[in-house]
Amino acid sequence: MAETFVIAQGGGPTAVINQTVVGATLEIRKRYPNARVLGSRYGVRGVRDGDFVVLSDISERELRLFGGTPSSGLGSTRDKPDAAYCDLVLKGLKKVDAQAFIYIGGNDTSGTQQILTDASGGSIAFVHAPKTIDNDLMENDHTPGFISAAEFVAGAFLSVDLDFRALPGVYVAIVMGRHAGFLTAASAAWRLDEQSGPHLIYVPERAFSVKSFIDDVKRTLDKHKRCIVAVSEGVQTADGTSLVESIVGPDKVERDAHGNVKLSGSDLNRAFETALAEGLPGKRARVDALGYMPRGYVGAINRTDSQEAFDAGVYAVEAAAQGGGSVALQYDGQKTVLKIVPLSHVAAKTRHMPDDFITAEGTGLTAKGMAYLERLVPKKYDVGKPFV
């Protein structure tokens, strides 16, 4: 009987996630010429409902075009399977006689694969292929999707810093990142010099105080006559409460199926606008949320990121042949290498920015943090130094 592989995408899209689908599909064709490859629409929901695209029937040319297309082309989901849902997913996999299930995603997706592994009894190989712009998967040096999103963020902050040199004031941009500040930190990757913004960086790994924030902005204005701020949407107060939850209240915030607080929206913007208006009356200030734009922007698809996403798909097939696990991108000191690690090492865990990446004040990056970013997100444009 010919092998059957099922591939799905979970969680937030990225600019390169479809490359992982294509890498896996083409590798399966190479290893198992008669295999059937099914792409599940909308993650595990499609497996449960029997909603599939037959990827093995699609030409390589069409697949390559699909690989270069941003966002999750199979559709995604944030469904979190409980025992009953898992049972339906397993039945869906068995109904199509799947030997392996490759699920591309982040923390929650890896957690789903662990749940399914435990429930299956070993009859199916479950593989987690990494994907997240948050860059917060354990066992990984970095994750597919991060570099492209980081380029967007780095370019946005370089551009806005030049804007505010011309017309000084305060600029705050809220960047995606629930528990880890890697993407927010990428705002500093393309600084022109020590005078360049972002001048202040706030990440979830450090407690956030509105009073300290205003004091920091005042000091920066005194020094630079402008202040560019990068802040993670997941910043927390000293008691561990997300800033948006402390503002809106625990009973009023929205949550997803995984229990995560909805961080996007206007509440956080208004909080910063109010803080600046009250703390710095009369100062020109702007607050923006970059929102979803960085994660799937067609103009910032990085070649290395794209190739690594493809390679992760290829390696996921090897992981399936070895009985399952999580594909990890690791750095050997010279280059990125792929490895298979146990699902339990990654599932539902969060990798935070290392302490030694963040300055003692908690508002900037150390030389080690900058070196990490410069390795992954080297400067892409030659920009002249302004005269102001």
Side-chain angles (χ1 to χ4, degrees), residues 224-247:
H224 297 290
K225 311 306 178 187
R226 71 189 191 286
C227 181
I228 310 300
V229 182
V231 58
S232 296
E233 63 182 6
V235 289
Q236 302 177 343
T237 53
D239 64 358
T241 303
S242 67
L243 186 60
V244 67
E245 188 174 357
S246 69
I247 295 164

Side-chain angles (χ1 to χ4, degrees), residues 83 86-87 90 94 113-123 126:
C86 262
D87 185 56
L90 287 171
K94 290 174 181 176
Q113 289 296 72
Q114 182 67 70
I115 294 168
L116 290 169
T117 298
D118 295 340
S120 70
S123 57
F126 291 93

Side-chain angles (χ1 to χ4, degrees), residues 242 244-255 261-262 267:
S242 67
V244 67
E245 188 174 357
S246 69
I247 295 164
V248 178
D251 298 329
K252 294 182 180 179
V253 294
E254 295 182 49
R255 298 178 185 272
V261 172
K262 180 184 176 184
D267 291 318

Side-chain angles (χ1 to χ4, degrees), residues 158 161-162 165 190-194 196 379 383-386:
L158 168 60
D161 181 60
L162 294 171
R165 284 176 187 252
W190 292 356
R191 279 175 171 157
L192 295 180
D193 53 34
E194 291 183 359
S196 298
K379 289 180 181 176
V383 177
K385 186 175 179 180

Side-chain angles (χ1 to χ4, degrees), residues 45-307:
R45 194 180 305 170
V47 179
R48 179 195 65 188
D49 298 340
D51 186 6
F52 297 106
V53 178
V54 184
L55 295 171
S56 45
D57 288 348
I58 298 174
S59 70
E60 180 171 345
R61 179 181 179 278
E62 288 179 287
L63 284 172
R64 295 282 186 180
L65 288 171
F66 173 70
T69 305
S71 189
S72 301
L74 292 173
S76 190
T77 181
R78 292 199 183 277
D79 288 1
K80 183 175 182 177
D82 56 16
Y85 197 135
C86 262
D87 185 56
L88 293 174
V89 172
L90 287 171
K91 285 179 179 176
L93 291 168
K94 290 174 181 176
K95 188 173 182 179
V96 296
D97 194 33
Q99 281 76 54
F101 177 36
I102 298 171
Y103 204 4
I104 308 162
N107 314 75
D108 293 330
T109 300
S110 61
T112 296
Q113 289 296 72
Q114 182 67 70
I115 294 168
L116 290 169
T117 298
D118 295 340
S120 70
S123 57
I124 299 171
F126 291 93
V127 178
H128 167 244
K131 172 271 340 170
T132 173
I133 65 166
D134 290 344
N135 200 36
D136 62 349
L137 292 181
M138 297 295 288
E139 299 281 354
N140 286 263
D141 172 74
H142 60 280
T143 52
F146 170 70
I147 294 176
S148 296
E151 278 201 357
F152 181 102
V153 172
F157 274 87
L158 168 60
S159 301
V160 83
D161 181 60
L162 294 171
D163 186 305
F164 274 69
R165 284 176 187 252
L167 291 169
V170 180
Y171 181 82
V172 178
I174 301 166
V175 183
M176 293 185 79
R178 181 175 298 275
H179 300 298
F182 290 101
L183 190 59
T184 303
S187 60
W190 292 356
R191 279 175 171 157
L192 295 180
D193 53 34
E194 291 183 359
Q195 307 303 314
S196 298
H199 306 102
L200 301 171
I201 300 173
Y202 300 96
V203 294
E205 288 84 355
R206 294 289 186 272
F208 184 87
S209 159
V210 174
K211 181 183 182 303
S212 296
F213 162 69
I214 293 299
D215 289 342
D216 293 339
V217 173
K218 287 179 178 177
R219 282 194 295 272
T220 304
L221 283 171
D222 288 342
K223 183 176 181 180
H224 297 290
K225 311 306 178 187
R226 71 189 191 286
C227 181
I228 310 300
V229 182
V231 58
S232 296
E233 63 182 6
V235 289
Q236 302 177 343
T237 53
D239 64 358
T241 303
S242 67
L243 186 60
V244 67
E245 188 174 357
S246 69
I247 295 164
V248 178
D251 298 329
K252 294 182 180 179
V253 294
E254 295 182 49
R255 298 178 185 272
D256 64 19
H258 297 268
N260 296 322
V261 172
K262 180 184 176 184
L263 299 175
S264 58
S266 59
D267 291 318
L268 206 50
N269 289 51
R270 282 198 296 267
F272 278 101
E273 288 168 355
T274 300
L276 289 167
E278 293 177 352
L280 295 161
K283 288 292 183 182
R284 175 177 181 257
R286 172 84 184 203
V287 180
D288 287 332
L290 299 188
Y292 291 159
M293 287 296 290
R295 73 184 188 185
Y297 180 58
V298 71
I301 300 177
N302 177 275
R303 285 188 180 183
T304 298
D305 198 20
S306 184
Q307 185 63 55

Side-chain angles (χ1 to χ4, degrees), residues 317-329:
V317 180
E318 174 60 27
Q322 295 190 27
S326 183
V327 176
L329 276 66

